[in-house]
Amino acid sequence: MNVLYVFLGGGIGSLMRFGISALVLKFPKSVFPVATLASNLIACLLVGVLLVQMMKVKPANAEAFHAFWIIGICGGFSTFSTFAKENLELMEKGQWIIAILNILISVSFCIGMVYLGRKLIG
């Protein structure tokens, strides 16, 4: 049954990611991968919130909750593989400063968002 939860959550998370990309396209074009950063930040915040919420779920439902919300939705929404691809492309184009900034901002802020998500709920 958890496979179904991951499948459904992943589809929803992927649609959310698609929506972020469409929303960002309405803003002026930037070399910096804003949609990926936004998706990763939001997903990390959501993971922090969900980890605290999962502790409030009955143990019998915790595995399904984790499968749907954290693995499925957050996994489909967060885009680390895209993050890696975009940074490699920036490096190949010689845009090292933007790539390094993106890596530093994304990693440090995403860790901070997981922490913030836990603190907001906990």
Side-chain angles (χ1 to χ4, degrees):
M1 193 64 181
N2 287 336
V3 171
L4 180 61
Y5 293 137
V6 171
F7 175 75
L8 293 173
I12 292 167
S14 295
L15 288 172
M16 291 166 55
R17 172 67 175 97
F18 179 77
I20 289 286
S21 292
L23 183 65
V24 167
L25 287 176
K26 294 182 179 185
F27 294 97
K29 181 133 174 74
S30 169
V31 174
F32 196 87
V34 177
T36 303
L37 176 61
S39 294
N40 287 336
L41 288 173
I42 295 166
C44 287
L45 179 64
L46 191 56
V47 164
V49 168
L50 291 170
L51 287 172
V52 173
Q53 287 301 109
M54 197 167 80
M55 303 222 186
K56 299 175 184 176
V57 174
K58 293 179 184 175
N61 298 328
E63 193 175 331
F65 182 93
H66 185 267
F68 179 77
W69 286 100
I70 295 175
I71 297 172
I73 288 184
C74 291
F77 185 50
S78 186
T79 54
F80 202 80
S81 58
T82 303
F83 169 76
K85 177 189 83 64
E86 288 174 344
N87 282 305
L88 180 60
E89 289 171 353
L90 288 168
M91 290 175 198
E92 289 172 342
K93 292 176 184 172
Q95 296 176 320
W96 285 89
I97 292 174
I98 293 173
I100 291 168
L101 278 173
N102 188 38
I103 292 165
L104 292 174
I105 291 169
S106 293
V107 172
S108 59
F109 277 64
C110 285
I111 291 168
M113 292 301 257
V114 171
Y115 177 80
L116 178 61
R118 287 182 14 195
K119 291 299 175 188
L120 286 174
I121 298 296

